[in-house]
Amino acid sequence: MKTADDAQLAAFDARWRSPRGWLGFFTEVNNQQLGVRFMVTSLIFFAIGGFLALLMRIQLTVPENDFMGPQLYNELFTLHGSTMMFLFAVPFLEGLALYVLPLMIGSRDVAFPRLTAFSYWTYLFGGLIFYASLLTGTPPDAGWFAYTPLSGPGFAGLGMDFWVMGLALVEIAGLAAGVEIVVTILKLRAPGMSLRRLPMLAWTLLVSGAMMIFAFSVLLVATLLLELDRAAGFAFFDPDRGGSSLLWQHLFWFFGHPEVYIMFLPATGIVSTLVTTAARRPLAAYPLVAMAVVVTGFVSFGLWMHHMYATGLPELGLSFFAAASLMIGVASGIQIFAWIATLWGSRPRITVPFLYVLGFFFNFVLGGFTGVMVAVVPFDWQVHDTFFIVAHFHYVLIGGVVFPVFAALHYWLPKVTGRLQNERLGRWGFWLNFAGCNLTFFPMHIMGFLGLARRVYTYPEELQIGGYNIVSTLGAFLMAAGFVAIVVDLLRSVRRGPAAGDNPWDTGTLDGSMSSPPPIYSFLRPPVVRSREPLWGPVKHKAGEPALEEEALSERASAALHAAPSDWRATLATDAITGRPSGVQVLAEPSLSPLLSALGLTLAFVGVLLKSYLLIPLGLVLAVSFLARWMYPSSDYNRKVYSSGLAERSGLPVLLEGARSCSWWGMLCFVGIAGSAFVALFFCYFYLWLFAESWPPPDAAPPDPLRGAIAHAPLLLAAGAAWLAKRRLAAPGFSAARGPLLLLSAALAFTVLQLGLGSFELATLPFSPRDHSYGSSVWVMLMVVLTFSLTAALLLACSLARARRIEPWDLTPLRLQLQLTTMFVLLTALAAAGTYAVVHLAPRLL
Amino acid sequence: MNPRDRLPVSRWTLRFCLLGGGIAWTLHLVGAWAIAEFGILGGFAGVNTLILVLSAAMLLAAGAATLVSAHVRRAAGPENHEDARTVAFCGRFGIVTNAVFTVIIAAQTVPVFYFLDQ
């Protein structure tokens, strides 16, 4: 006989279950499903990238080999590097984060489920566009770093455009994933999970997510500028017209070096988790390790120039970066010593995942040592373009990232599939990979010293390195065999593996408390956390301790959410620092909008590739329309949540605003993205100015300051009006919408006025963006301000439409919307003021 | 009672304790590099002096963040309360992190002395 509890559970399950069939596939927003899709897709790209590497190794096995020509070799190393860096490593870790994070921090889903779906689709479409370059007959051949002028219009064919646009989509996916990860960790932790109880994997993902926000936005700017050079004849990277090839290197490596740590930090989080589990004791020196992770995140942004030692930069500048490059080794060293201290005296179970951790220690330490060597400027000058560097970064990336990724695969796969893998096959996979990695890459150090140049398709017999290359190729095939063993084990275990049980590794983190595979909603009743390893023993509080009072609050909130009506999805939101429950976060439901908006964006990018100027606006309109549809909350839904009684039962607000809401934090991240992009544009302007013979060029007068002031000032007024509207709406006892309505209307009118005046100024600029890098810079900055203005106008129009009719349940969502809109309008005003100062005033004042 | 009221220090103090040193280091690196790159190539004579002034200012900022972290640690009081334990953790975290950034800023400033006579 079914009980009331069973019926409630069935209804709850139905509410969270993914829709069935094809429609369900395309509307999926659940973190577990999308996490698996991310991981599977990235592993497919990994297999393709690995296959390309094997072809290159065959070519290099013997001197003066004619297995392939130089052009094909260039294309292969470009595709291989780009695939591994952009399509495999980061997306795999994003997928792992999406799957594991909510289980580990006690949440039912991630903060923005539809953004997750959008991120997946843009990643997939970006990868497909990237590989579609093979169909053009001129695949990209300028390396994964795409140095200009090799990647510019004078040297690279249409395939490079596919590279740029595909990469831009992948960057957008990465930015979305970064926001998702940061906000989820800050806001959706289980009650009681304060910062000091955060699992180390979550610390690393938090820092890595924040790094993605700043690094990917700069790369997005760089790739879009490159495409403007290629498709529209702009001059950012063309020295003949005042551009600079080194500018590309600065922008690219400002992303490129943190990118290594964006991958490496989560890998260290995986290692910390596995070491703790294997030793069955808490991580030693937890606060120091957390500190090391944060320091690594910061300092990694200060290393970009150590990729540019050989470009002739001022020695004083190089010295800062050499010092930073050496200092980051200290932070990594702290982590290594903490792992050793954790394992010291314990009797770790040598399982397959732990074998990969041991392999990580060996390979990564070796890669780290050579990293310290190449941080020394004169040494780097000697080996810069040799195979020594190839050996170094493969030890870091394979030892430091791929081995932990394989460890994670073995460790969490039983959780995903509910089945254990074959230990014997797993050990074969490990030893093949370990031996293969060292056989492939260790000889490259020696070959580099002997003078083997990188990125060159062959070498003369006189170098006498044929033997090393044969060993290296043999190692590459061993690694391939190791990967095949992992895949076979994976597929075999899904069908025939023994049942894994809930906690096959006896881990102390919350993911071990779930069944394998976990329910689609993860936690029916959100857990209350009392220690850093909740499954290894809660802290006992003495009677009368204030801690008990906090727990009572958490238990009440958790029980109320458990008993909540099942016709909407929700999870507990907590304070970012203390982990106290701060509200109930309503979560988005399945929708086609993320797919359609990603499709719209892809169409616009394809329009750029095909130079189809109808497709570009069509795609953009499609993308914006579905974005608006996905984000526009329904009043009926708000009413349902408002009248559910959950607020009274849990003692927490259910419709959130301000810093309690995930959306507020999401907008803060977006401001970080947009701000970084603007700073990158300002940097471009001043950098080009520095190297220009005259700035502006003699035949181009700078824009008139008075006209510029008139064109930009309305945005300051709009920001003021929006801010006042927000204040009025937040005032206690607010009942009539009249005041905010008038202020919002004024803000909208000012923004539209700026759009008109700004467009007129842009259209009547006395120079062309194609003549000189000065014109290109000015044009792009003014254009970006206009794009921000347009977005602000759309947001204000939405707020205005909603403010016209306010029901009691709509008031809090409207306040939130106005807070977010105001934040964006303020950012736009700030960007406009900065642009005005740089474009209109700086050339006259400096 | 608003849960936020339980914290013994303000949110801004906590943020400075957690991120102050990192932000000071970032400003130092970007500022020093910009002065070196733009100053040297632009022919500006006072590059070294300017970098030393910037370094001193950022050393002070990172040092101040370390001291504020020590204050946060003390303000947490006896750790018999989860909020107090969390604040104490932030304090300890801040002391070590900001001290490390202070050392890094100092280490990155040393090469300037080598270039002083050039």
Side-chain angles (χ1 to χ4, degrees), chain A residues 225-523:
Chain A
L225 296 187
L226 179 60
E227 190 55 25
L228 279 173
D229 267 22
R230 293 182 53 81
F234 282 39
F236 286 102
F237 307 114
D238 179 4
D240 288 342
R241 290 180 288 154
S244 166
S245 291
L246 275 187
L247 173 63
W248 169 262
Q249 291 202 30
H250 277 297
L251 293 174
F252 184 83
W253 289 119
F254 187 81
F255 147 82
H257 199 85
E259 159 86 339
V260 174
Y261 289 91
I262 285 169
M263 297 182 285
F264 172 64
L265 284 179
T268 65
I270 293 168
V271 171
S272 292
T273 308
L274 268 64
V275 163
T276 310
T277 302
R280 221 189 169 281
R281 57 167 68 153
L283 184 66
Y286 173 92
L288 281 180
V289 177
M291 178 278 290
V293 169
V294 173
V295 168
T296 305
F298 269 100
V299 178
S300 69
F301 278 98
L303 306 183
W304 85 89
M305 222 195 276
H306 83 199
H307 297 264
M308 299 169 63
Y309 282 166
T311 56
L313 297 167
E315 284 180 27
L316 180 57
L318 292 185
S319 66
F320 298 127
F321 292 87
S325 304
L326 294 169
M327 294 305 288
I328 204 164
V330 177
S332 300
I334 288 172
Q335 294 204 65
I336 302 255
F337 284 115
W339 294 323
I340 292 172
T342 309
L343 290 169
W344 197 267
S346 72
R347 290 176 177 275
R349 283 170 61 195
I350 310 294
T351 54
V352 175
F354 192 67
L355 277 176
Y356 278 104
V357 169
L358 294 177
F360 158 88
F361 285 153
F362 182 85
N363 289 340
F364 177 70
V365 168
L366 225 159
F369 278 146
T370 52
V372 174
M373 290 162 77
V374 294
V376 179
V377 181
F379 183 88
D380 183 78
W381 284 342
Q382 300 303 315
V383 296
H384 187 78
D385 265 332
T386 71
F387 259 70
F388 186 88
I389 300 292
V390 180
H392 156 67
F393 71 70
H394 277 93
Y395 262 99
V396 171
L397 292 175
I398 294 184
V401 179
V402 176
F403 271 54
V405 160
F406 286 168
L409 255 184
H410 283 277
Y411 185 77
W412 276 293
L413 206 68
K415 180 59 66 186
V416 177
T417 63
R419 304 210 174 251
L420 287 173
Q421 288 159 289
N422 184 293
E423 185 76 10
R424 194 182 168 84
L425 205 49
R427 283 174 188 271
W428 267 103
F430 166 74
W431 286 111
L432 285 169
N433 274 307
F434 184 72
C437 173
N438 285 287
L439 283 175
T440 309
F441 299 110
F442 194 82
M444 289 185 187
H445 293 110
I446 304 164
M447 289 192 276
F449 281 140
L450 293 176
L452 180 60
R454 62 200 276 217
R455 305 173 194 145
V456 178
Y457 83 111
T458 191
Y459 50 92
E461 190 147 11
E462 294 78 54
L463 269 182
Q464 297 187 326
I465 51 171
Y468 293 117
N469 266 314
I470 290 172
V471 172
S472 193
T473 303
L474 181 72
F477 277 90
L478 283 183
M479 279 181 77
F483 182 65
V484 170
I486 291 174
V487 174
V488 169
D489 188 19
L490 193 154
L491 296 175
R492 191 178 163 279
S493 74
V494 171
R495 289 172 151 267
R496 287 188 287 168
D502 292 352
N503 195 359
W505 312 110
D506 199 16
T507 180
T509 44
L510 283 174
D511 48 313
S513 68
M514 295 273 89
S515 61
S516 304
I520 199 80
Y521 43 79
S522 300
F523 295 90

Side-chain angles (χ1 to χ4, degrees), chain A residues 194 196-197 288 291 294 298-299 302 305 316 319-321 324 545-546 549-550 575 577 580 683 686 691, chain B residues 3 6 11 22 25-26 29 33 38 41 51 80-83 85-86 89 93 96-97 101 104 108 111 115:
Chain A
S194 59
R196 71 186 196 94
R197 289 173 179 163
L288 281 180
M291 178 278 290
V294 173
F298 269 100
V299 178
M305 222 195 276
L316 180 57
S319 66
F320 298 127
F321 292 87
E545 252 193 63
E549 188 193 323
E550 290 163 19
D575 182 85
I577 292 178
R580 286 169 147 266
F683 167 76
F686 284 110
F691 288 96
Chain B
R6 284 176 177 251
R11 293 263 157 173
W25 174 83
T26 308
L29 182 97
W33 171 73
F38 288 69
L41 293 176
I51 291 178
N80 60 356
H81 186 282
E82 184 49 29
D83 281 357
R85 279 192 282 264
T86 304
F89 170 79
F93 176 92
V96 183
T97 309
F101 277 120
I104 298 181
Q108 287 186 291
F115 290 98

Side-chain angles (χ1 to χ4, degrees), chain B residues 3-15:
Chain B
R4 289 178 167 227
D5 297 339
R6 284 176 177 251
L7 296 182
V9 290
S10 76
R11 293 263 157 173
W12 281 108
T13 308
L14 268 185
R15 282 170 198 145

